[in-house]
């Protein structure tokens, strides 16, 4: 019985404890010696790295060349664009020649021959900075024109301050000056103090 047990142990040892041919072949394969499959993969990786480096340098050279061409390109002569101002046929509202920040006292209206500026008791000038406190519109004036007698409140309400629409009610009259806001209108031919017409809500808007 002891001999049978020894034979059984020898058989088990021969089957399960000794390395087979495949395992012995794998154990005997060299690792990392520069040859075989491992050496080929390393050579391929090194070649790819060299190729990538060459492509990178080539792209950088092309980019540098492009930048140099851009900066070396001569600038085109730029001609300044001149805007031509079209002079309108509208009668101009005279601008004040006085310094800003002062008010007329008293306020005057006047014809086209009256000088414009800051009006005082000693320097009587027609105010060209009038503003209406009723409609909060700036008062416009047109030299050598008068308002037609058919003008009414709705006309100025709908057409102020567009001259092309207002001109349909303007009548040419040398020496006169037509004033208007959105709610009131007057024609002046001589220098007149504004306080003489209490219906007008016009004040000096400061010069």
């Amino acid at each position: 019985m002891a001999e049978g047990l020894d034979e059984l142990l020898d058989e088990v040892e021969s089957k399960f404890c000794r390395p087979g041919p495949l395992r012995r072949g794998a154990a005997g394969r060299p690792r990392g010696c520069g040859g075989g499959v491992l050496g080929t993969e390393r050579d391929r990786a090194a070649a790819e790295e060299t190729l990538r480096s060459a492509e990178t340098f080539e792209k950088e050279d092309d980019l540098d060349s492009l930048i140099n061409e851009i900066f070396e390109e001569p600038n085109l002569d730029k001609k300044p664009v001149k805007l031509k101002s079209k002079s309108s046929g509208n009668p101009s509202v005279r601008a004040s020649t006085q310094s800003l920040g002062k008010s007329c006292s008293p306020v005057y209206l006047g014809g086209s021959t009256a000088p414009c500026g800051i009006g005082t008791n000693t320097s009587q000038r027609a105010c060209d900075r009038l503003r209406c406190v009723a409609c909060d519109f700036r008062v416009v004036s047109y030299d050598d024109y008068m308002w037609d007698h058919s003008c009414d409140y709705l006309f100025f309400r709908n057409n102020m301050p567009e001259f092309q629409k207002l001109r349909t009610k303007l009548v040419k009259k040398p020496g006169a000056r037509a004033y208007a806001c959105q709610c009131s209108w007057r024609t002046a031919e001589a220098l007149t103090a504004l306080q003489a017409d209490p219906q007008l809500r016009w004040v000096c808007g400061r010069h």
Side-chain angles (χ1 to χ4, degrees):
M1 184 174 179
E3 293 179 358
L5 183 59
D6 291 337
E7 292 178 359
L8 181 61
L9 290 175
D10 291 339
E11 185 178 355
V12 170
E13 183 179 357
S14 63
K15 288 184 178 181
F16 297 101
C17 297
R18 294 180 182 177
L22 292 178
R23 187 171 297 178
R24 285 196 300 269
R29 183 181 300 170
R31 295 185 180 181
C33 296
V37 177
L38 183 59
T40 303
E41 291 179 353
R42 285 189 174 183
D43 293 342
R44 183 180 301 171
E48 291 178 355
E49 182 67 24
T50 303
L51 181 59
R52 282 196 295 268
S53 300
E55 291 178 352
T56 302
F57 289 137
E58 184 177 356
K59 290 180 180 179
E60 290 179 354
D61 291 340
D62 293 342
L63 182 59
D64 292 338
S65 300
L66 181 59
I67 293 175
N68 292 332
E69 289 179 2
I70 293 175
F71 282 101
E72 290 176 0
E73 185 177 356
N75 294 328
L76 298 177
D77 294 334
K78 296 182 179 180
K79 296 181 179 180
V81 179
K82 295 182 179 180
L83 299 178
K84 295 182 179 180
S85 59
K86 297 182 179 179
S87 57
S88 60
N90 301 359
S92 60
V93 180
R94 295 188 179 181
S96 172
T97 58
Q98 305 295 327
S99 59
L100 297 176
K102 297 182 179 180
S103 298
C104 296
S105 180
V107 181
Y108 291 99
L109 302 181
S112 61
T113 58
C116 294
I118 300 176
T120 63
N121 288 323
T122 57
S123 177
Q124 297 181 348
R125 296 174 179 271
C127 180
D128 56 355
R129 296 276 182 170
L130 295 171
R131 177 170 289 276
C132 180
V133 297
C135 64
D136 198 29
F137 262 65
R138 182 176 178 179
V139 178
V140 296
S141 62
Y142 302 106
D143 288 349
D144 297 323
Y145 282 92
M146 63 174 289
W147 293 114
D148 188 79
H149 296 293
S150 62
C151 290
D152 56 13
Y153 169 79
L154 289 178
F155 171 76
F156 292 99
R157 177 75 178 178
N158 296 329
N159 297 319
M160 274 291 293
E162 299 181 23
F163 174 75
Q164 295 301 326
K165 295 181 179 180
L166 294 174
R167 68 184 304 176
T168 59
K169 297 290 186 179
L170 284 170
V171 180
K172 191 73 174 178
K173 186 174 184 180
R177 181 178 289 154
Y179 292 88
C181 63
Q182 197 181 33
C183 62
S184 302
W185 63 99
R186 290 291 186 275
T187 298
E189 297 184 49
L191 198 65
T192 307
L194 188 61
Q195 61 187 5
D197 192 346
Q199 293 183 352
L200 289 177
R201 304 289 303 278
W202 297 348
V203 296
C204 176
R206 303 183 73 84
H207 294 262

